[in-house]
Amino acid sequence: MANAKVTLKEIADYVGCDISTVSKVLHGGRIRVRPATAQRIFEVAERLQYRPNAAARSLRSQRTLCLGIILPDLTNPVYSEIIRGALRKAEELGYVMLIAELGEAAQEDAFHRVVGEGRIDGLIVATASEQSSIGYLLARQTIPYVFVNRRPGGLGRSVIVDDDEGGALAARALESRGHRDVALIAGPDSIDTAVRRRRGFERTCRDLGLRSPIVESVEYTVSGGYQGMMRLLNSTPRPTGVFTSNLLVSIGALNAIHTSGLLIPRDISIVGVDDGNIAAFMWPPLTAVQMPFREMGEVVVEELDRIISGGEPQEVVVETPPVLVERATLGPPPLDASPDD
Amino acid sequence: MANAKVTLKEIADYVGCDISTVSKVLHGGRIRVRPATAQRIFEVAERLQYRPNAAARSLRSQRTLCLGIILPDLTNPVYSEIIRGALRKAEELGYVMLIAELGEAAQEDAFHRVVGEGRIDGLIVATASEQSSIGYLLARQTIPYVFVNRRPGGLGRSVIVDDDEGGALAARALESRGHRDVALIAGPDSIDTAVRRRRGFERTCRDLGLRSPIVESVEYTVSGGYQGMMRLLNSTPRPTGVFTSNLLVSIGALNAIHTSGLLIPRDISIVGVDDGNIAAFMWPPLTAVQMPFREMGEVVVEELDRIISGGEPQEVVVETPPVLVERATLGPPPLDASPDD
DNA sequence: CTGAAAGCGCTAACAT
DNA sequence: ATGTTAGCGCTTTCAG
């Protein structure tokens, strides 16, 4: 028993009125229609399981009630969280969501199919690199869009989390456990979340009176983290606590420590960043700064919806602060650590 | 400079012909039109960056060129891989993809918005539990749909991978390294991938002449894996090699072993299943059966496309076989293991 | 080879 | 309070 094709006309015929009346009633415009009629219309619509046809509605109203999101890499847990938040909020606001993965490969075709054919009312751009072809593509579109978790210079339309505070949190956590010789495995300067995390960490170390942290800049990859940590382990004095500022980097760093035979947190403490729900699954379970990615997803669709409704684009930092989730990689520094000077 | 609203009419005006002519030419129907005219039309369309309006086209042709996928949990890496595969193939076939997360919560609304409003030509269902509300919802729809990675009884429209072979592979791997006392941490009987993996494993153990494996049935969660492994570690004889038949279970099992102070693979070997790209990031890096999830995503959209085009639904097992990826958790059994009898 | 015309299902301004 | 009408942009049949 399917509602295969229930149209306004069908309801109108059934009720014995005009389709425009049905449209008015169902559309919710609480306008000039006799309660009795309205009542019948609602009944019939309900019984027939009426659903407005999206194509017809879009064609007529120039609104699709559909949002698009394009991402560089579905496989990255950060994006899962962002999407999840976005999906929730989208549903709440009455949108559905079109998704596209736009890696380095020139899948411009996918882009155009999503953006160029009037399928969506607005676009969320979660592309990794600021310089990707997406900028070029976006430039020749009039569709409302906003960046998420990335802040391309001067575009003034992005939603990010408080990465500064995330870095600060890590520094405070390390300091409060007694660490004086700390280090940071940072990401490349081309990634703006990386520079903000670094900035927050370094500033807080300074404010707290810690020794200026050693910083290793690496790619945000497992092997980047591995190499960065290896270098740190060979430096003197060896840091007693390290902030590994990205999930993959944290994984690589842990592997490096395991390989070298050191014990966590007995010999060295780690504070990471949880880009998803993976930190709890690592060994030892990673003490990490949890960024409000889900909220970021929600906020970005709120923003986009605002812009679609005529609002001005703006930069927003999601209000939910990062929070430190204590698991098992943060402890006091070893006793034989170089004493305070 | 936007192609804000280039319509057929605009092109027709420009070229000086009728819009139906433009439509014919652009639609590709290589039909009865003077080359010179066609040529001009292509030129102008190109220059104006023409893109057909999806809503109008759908309304008229009753095809949206849009597919839907609903999943229970975006956060699970299996689904990331499936989606990625699906997205690729969808693009190749000219579709875009609508995504919805349909957890336990009665987000029926999201379902209806996606399915009931004629937004999609077909639906991919990746729901975790066979008994979820989705069955009820699907029953009263006429839209083409197919299940992925799940085979609900008797529906005859699903795409799965060769889980039997996955289990067999694990058994062979263990056996070939000399393990005789093996065990299995299996999933619940309500999950059909779990029973297939178990079946393949047990059968192969038998065929290989191994002692009948101890099997612990647990939930497919980290703590399920932890508890299952703890029980295994206390059994006598303690198995020297264990197949942990799911990613989360593998994580929990590894944690249990770490906690108990045993070394992998010196004291015990593990073969897991890689549901995504996480196995390589674990410690020690997990030797695992890699299931062709990406391919499954591709195949499922091929299937769906076939059904949409009028084909009969069918059960398909993706041809790409599972493959064993050797990392660091599989070694020979310890020397003091109970000798062969 | 090309144009005219109808209509997909819906909305909204305008009549009545 | 309800009906009429005119499209939204496109495909497609039928005439010319």
Side-chain angles (χ1 to χ4, degrees):
Chain A
M1 196 44 58
N3 63 344
K5 193 128 294 170
V6 183
T7 68
L8 286 185
K9 177 152 194 324
E10 200 166 328
I11 298 178
D13 287 351
Y14 223 98
V15 172
C17 69
D18 188 84
I19 89 166
S20 69
T21 306
V22 182
S23 176
K24 274 175 220 150
V25 170
L26 260 28
H27 188 338
R30 184 112 304 349
I31 30 158
R32 270 154 300 198
V33 62
R34 197 172 46 198
T37 316
Q39 175 70 1
R40 289 223 54 207
I41 290 176
F42 278 126
E43 270 174 34
V44 175
E46 173 65 29
R47 183 150 44 78
L48 263 37
Q49 300 262 55
Y50 171 76
R51 280 268 146 186
N53 178 285
R57 195 195 275 245
S58 309
L59 184 55
R60 178 63 232 227
S61 62
Q62 308 291 18
R63 287 280 255 117
T64 59
L65 293 181
C66 182
L67 263 24
I69 182 168
I70 69 183
L71 351 100
D73 179 11
L74 258 166
T75 254
N76 186 328
V78 206
Y79 296 112
S80 303
E81 286 296 315
I82 296 176
I83 298 175
R84 167 173 281 185
L87 238 27
R88 281 215 203 306
K89 182 57 76 175
E91 169 172 11
E92 189 183 323
L93 298 183
Y95 291 101
V96 296
M97 187 92 87
L98 217 43
I99 189 175
E101 200 177 7
L102 198 62
E104 329 66 46
Q107 289 142 303
E108 303 200 359
D109 218 52
F111 177 91
H112 284 124
R113 250 191 328 252
V114 170
V115 177
E117 302 183 350
R119 288 182 185 273
I120 58 176
D121 293 334
L123 184 68
I124 297 167
V125 181
T127 189
S129 119
E130 305 186 7
Q131 304 304 4
S132 63
S133 60
I134 192 79
Y136 168 81
L137 294 173
L138 247 17
R140 54 199 60 231
Q141 300 291 151
T142 51
I143 197 168
Y145 66 96
V146 12
F147 294 96
V148 61
N149 201 31
R150 206 77 1 163
R151 177 148 59 176
L155 258 21
R157 43 172 77 237
S158 53
V159 174
I160 59 174
V161 293
D162 194 344
D163 291 290
D164 271 288
E165 174 58 17
L169 213 48
R172 273 184 244 123
L174 256 4
E175 193 268 351
S176 73
R177 282 306 201 102
H179 292 269
R180 310 292 300 165
D181 288 302
V182 300
L184 161 67
I185 304 186
D189 284 348
S190 58
I191 299 182
D192 61 323
T193 55
V195 341
R196 288 195 300 273
R197 286 174 195 174
R198 173 182 182 157
R199 189 175 57 193
F201 185 80
E202 289 185 309
R203 178 168 41 208
T204 305
C205 286
R206 204 177 319 118
D207 293 351
L208 256 25
L210 298 185
R211 271 189 275 282
S212 170
I214 311 176
V215 359
E216 288 290 341
S217 272
V218 303
E219 292 301 309
Y220 267 167
T221 60
V222 173
S223 75
Y226 186 93
Q227 291 159 16
M229 182 55 77
M230 278 304 186
R231 271 179 261 137
L232 250 24
L233 294 180
N234 290 325
S235 61
T236 40
R238 194 175 75 201
T240 64
V242 181
F243 175 39
T244 52
S245 66
N246 165 274
L247 181 77
L248 296 179
V249 164
S250 303
I251 291 170
L254 252 39
N255 289 357
I257 297 170
H258 288 133
T259 300
S260 72
L262 261 28
L263 252 35
I264 308 168
R266 194 196 65 184
D267 301 315
I268 189 167
S269 283
I270 302 291
V271 174
V273 171
D274 195 358
D275 280 8
N277 58 351
I278 312 288
F281 300 158
M282 296 167 56
W283 190 264
L286 183 71
T287 294
V289 174
Q290 173 77 49
M291 295 295 193
F293 289 120
R294 181 109 106 241
E295 286 79 359
M296 182 164 59
E298 295 178 4
V299 171
V300 75
V301 347
E302 277 172 1
E303 261 304 289
L304 187 51
D305 180 55
R306 215 180 44 73
I307 297 174
I308 289 170
S309 306
E312 278 304 307
Q314 59 184 12
E315 304 278 10
V316 3
V317 177
V318 349
E319 286 186 8
T320 313
V323 59
L324 186 83
V325 179
E326 308 227 25
R327 281 183 279 249
T329 58
L330 172 59
L335 295 175
D336 62 349
S338 63
D340 233 332
D341 42 302
Chain B
M1 198 43 58
N3 64 343
K5 194 127 294 171
V6 184
T7 67
L8 287 185
K9 175 151 194 325
E10 199 166 329
I11 298 178
D13 287 352
Y14 223 98
V15 173
C17 69
D18 189 85
I19 87 168
S20 67
T21 306
V22 181
S23 175
K24 277 174 216 150
V25 169
L26 260 27
H27 188 341
R30 185 121 291 358
I31 30 157
R32 271 157 297 202
V33 65
R34 197 172 47 197
T37 315
Q39 175 69 3
R40 289 224 53 207
I41 289 175
F42 279 125
E43 271 174 34
V44 175
E46 173 65 29
R47 184 151 44 78
L48 262 36
Q49 300 262 55
Y50 171 77
R51 281 267 146 186
N53 178 286
R57 191 192 277 240
S58 309
L59 184 57
R60 177 66 234 232
S61 62
Q62 308 290 20
R63 286 281 255 120
T64 60
L65 294 182
C66 182
L67 263 24
I69 182 168
I70 69 183
L71 349 101
D73 180 11
L74 258 166
T75 255
N76 185 328
V78 205
Y79 297 112
S80 302
E81 286 297 315
I82 296 176
I83 298 175
R84 169 174 281 184
L87 238 25
R88 281 214 203 308
K89 182 57 75 175
E91 169 172 11
E92 189 184 322
L93 299 183
Y95 291 101
V96 295
M97 187 92 90
L98 217 43
I99 189 175
E101 200 177 7
L102 200 62
E104 329 67 45
Q107 289 142 303
E108 302 200 0
D109 219 52
F111 177 89
H112 284 123
R113 256 199 314 260
V114 171
V115 176
E117 302 184 350
R119 288 182 185 273
I120 57 176
D121 293 333
L123 183 68
I124 297 167
V125 181
T127 188
S129 119
E130 305 186 6
Q131 305 304 4
S132 63
S133 61
I134 191 81
Y136 169 81
L137 295 173
L138 246 17
R140 53 200 59 232
Q141 299 291 151
T142 52
I143 197 168
Y145 66 96
V146 12
F147 294 96
V148 62
N149 199 33
R150 206 75 4 160
R151 177 149 57 177
L155 257 21
R157 43 174 75 236
S158 53
V159 175
I160 58 173
V161 294
D162 194 344
D163 291 291
D164 271 288
E165 173 58 17
L169 213 48
R172 274 184 243 122
L174 256 5
E175 193 268 351
S176 74
R177 282 307 201 103
H179 294 268
R180 310 292 300 165
D181 289 302
V182 300
L184 162 67
I185 303 186
D189 284 348
S190 59
I191 298 181
D192 61 323
T193 55
V195 342
R196 289 195 300 274
R197 286 174 196 173
R198 173 183 182 156
R199 189 176 57 193
F201 185 79
E202 290 185 309
R203 178 168 41 210
T204 305
C205 285
R206 205 178 318 119
D207 293 351
L208 257 24
L210 298 185
R211 272 189 275 281
S212 170
I214 311 177
V215 0
E216 288 290 343
S217 271
V218 303
E219 291 301 309
Y220 268 167
T221 61
V222 173
S223 76
Y226 186 93
Q227 290 159 18
M229 181 56 77
M230 277 306 186
R231 272 178 261 137
L232 250 24
L233 293 180
N234 290 325
S235 61
T236 40
R238 195 175 75 202
T240 63
V242 180
F243 174 39
T244 52
S245 65
N246 164 273
L247 181 78
L248 296 179
V249 164
S250 303
I251 291 170
L254 253 39
N255 289 357
I257 297 169
H258 288 133
T259 300
S260 70
L262 262 28
L263 251 35
I264 309 168
R266 194 196 66 184
D267 302 315
I268 189 167
S269 283
I270 303 291
V271 174
V273 171
D274 195 0
D275 281 9
N277 58 351
I278 312 287
F281 300 158
M282 296 167 57
W283 189 264
L286 183 72
T287 294
V289 174
Q290 172 79 49
M291 295 294 194
F293 288 120
R294 182 109 106 240
E295 286 80 359
M296 181 164 61
E298 295 178 4
V299 171
V300 75
V301 346
E302 277 173 1
E303 261 305 289
L304 187 51
D305 181 55
R306 214 179 45 72
I307 297 174
I308 290 170
S309 306
E312 279 303 308
Q314 59 183 13
E315 304 278 10
V316 3
V317 176
V318 349
E319 286 185 10
T320 313
V323 59
L324 186 83
V325 180
E326 308 226 26
R327 282 184 278 249
T329 58
L330 173 58
L335 295 174
D336 62 350
S338 63
D340 233 332
D341 43 300

